[in-house]
Amino acid sequence: MDILFYSHLGLGDQISINGAVHYLHEIHKCRIYIVCKKQNFSNINYLYKDYSYAIPMPIDNKIASNYQEALAFVNSIAKNKNLKIVSTSIDNPLRIPWDKDHFSKINIPIEVKLSHSKRPIIKNSTDIIDKYGTTKPYAFIHDHPKYPIREIANKKLKIIRNPIELNIFETLPLLENACEIHLTNSSILCMCEVFNLPLENQKGFYYSKRGRHNYGGIIQISNQSLWKIIDHAKFL
C-alpha cells in the first residue's frame, strides 16, 4: 500500500522531512504522497522532481490553515486512493534539533534527517551563478522585511540578496559559492541545515531576532556549531 505523508505544512518543515520521505520509500518500497500547501507546491515539486516515487499533493491554503479541515481532506484522499496515512507534527519546537518530534512520532531515527536527505538536480546551476552571482567574493543574505540585515562586518564582500524569482532550491548554487552566508529564521536556513551548509571554506551567520539565549526562536538547528549567532536586535 502506498503512503500519504502528512506533516506540518510549513515550508521549513517540508524540507526537514525530506530524509523521512526517502527513508519511508526505502523501507516500504512504495510511492510516497506528500501533502503540501498549494503555495509551496512549486518548491516541493522541484525538491522531488528527480524521484518518481515521491509525489507532492497540494492542499488549498485556506484548508491547510484549519487543522480539522486539513485532517478531513487528508483522510478523504487516503480513502479515495487507498493510501496508508503516516502523520507527524511538532509538539515542542524548543527541542534540539527543532524538528525532533517529526521523526520520533513515526519511529524514525533523527539521524535519517541528514543521512537520507536528497537534493534535487539543478541543471541550470551555471546559468544561475552567471545571472545572479558575481566573479568577486560575495556574501549571500536572506532576511525578512520586518527584520532586515542592513550591514555585515566584512565590508570587502559584495552582497547578493536572495532572488525571489528563483525556486528556493535553485539558490543552492549561490549559497555554495558564497564566502559568507547570512540568514534569519527561514526555510532557507532549514535547507542549509539539511544539505550541510555552510561548507568548510565558508562562514555562516545566523541572525536570531529573539536573542542569543533561545537560539533563534523556534529553529533549533542541528548543525549550530557551523554558525555564528548574531543577536539580531542590535541591527533593528
Side-chain angles (χ1 to χ4, degrees):
M1 180 181 288
D2 292 335
I3 289 174
L4 181 61
F5 192 10
Y6 176 43
S7 70
H8 192 282
L9 300 179
L11 183 54
D13 296 79
Q14 298 276 287
I15 293 171
S16 83
I17 54 95
N18 174 253
V21 169
H22 293 294
Y23 181 82
L24 287 170
H25 169 72
E26 180 182 296
I27 298 300
H28 299 285
K29 309 299 181 186
C30 66
R31 287 175 291 187
I32 313 294
Y33 292 84
I34 308 109
V35 179
C36 66
K37 287 183 181 179
K38 189 174 182 179
Q39 70 185 42
N40 294 332
F41 176 74
S42 62
N43 282 305
I44 303 305
N45 194 50
Y46 191 95
L47 175 61
Y48 294 109
K49 66 183 177 61
D50 306 305
Y51 310 98
S52 59
Y53 54 80
I55 307 167
M57 183 167 289
I59 180 173
D60 185 85
N61 297 333
K62 290 184 179 180
I63 295 176
S65 64
N66 184 300
Y67 176 77
Q68 293 300 329
E69 288 186 26
L71 186 60
F73 180 81
V74 168
N75 285 328
S76 67
I77 292 176
K79 183 177 180 180
N80 292 336
K81 291 184 174 291
N82 191 31
L83 303 174
K84 176 184 177 181
I85 296 178
V86 173
S87 179
T88 186
S89 61
I90 292 181
D91 291 333
N92 184 2
L94 296 181
R95 290 178 181 172
I96 298 177
W98 64 276
D99 52 355
K100 186 176 181 179
D101 287 341
H102 276 324
F103 296 83
S104 62
K105 284 192 173 184
I106 52 178
N107 297 315
I108 291 179
I110 187 63
E111 291 76 17
V112 163
K113 173 181 176 178
L114 301 182
S115 66
H116 284 66
S117 286
K118 297 183 180 181
R119 58 185 291 166
I121 297 172
I122 307 173
K123 294 181 179 180
N124 60 334
S125 293
T126 301
D127 293 337
I128 291 171
I129 294 172
D130 288 344
K131 183 175 181 179
Y132 299 100
T134 174
T135 56
K136 297 180 180 179
Y138 67 89
F140 181 98
I141 292 180
H142 179 246
D143 53 15
H144 188 280
K146 292 184 179 179
Y147 309 101
I149 299 173
R150 296 191 174 95
E151 60 181 29
I152 62 175
N154 190 344
K155 307 299 182 183
K156 295 181 180 180
L157 295 179
K158 181 179 175 64
I159 291 177
I160 293 179
R161 294 185 179 271
N162 176 49
I164 59 175
E165 63 269 27
L166 290 181
N167 183 288
I168 184 173
F169 301 103
E170 289 180 311
T171 64
L172 279 169
L174 294 172
L175 286 160
E176 291 172 333
N177 281 276
C179 294
E180 296 182 357
I181 301 173
H182 296 254
L183 305 176
T184 54
N185 293 351
S186 68
S187 51
I188 289 185
L189 179 67
C190 297
M191 180 177 68
C192 286
E193 177 190 14
V194 166
F195 297 130
N196 204 32
L197 293 174
L199 302 172
E200 289 185 1
N201 63 330
Q202 295 177 310
K203 293 182 179 179
F205 299 86
Y206 176 11
Y207 293 72
S208 167
K209 68 175 181 287
R210 298 190 183 185
R212 181 180 301 275
H213 295 294
N214 73 346
Y215 194 64
I218 63 172
I219 300 184
Q220 311 279 334
I221 55 178
S222 57
N223 66 344
Q224 57 182 309
S225 62
L226 301 180
W227 298 85
K228 180 178 180 180
I229 306 173
I230 307 294
D231 187 351
H232 206 171
K234 295 179 179 179
F235 294 84
L236 299 179

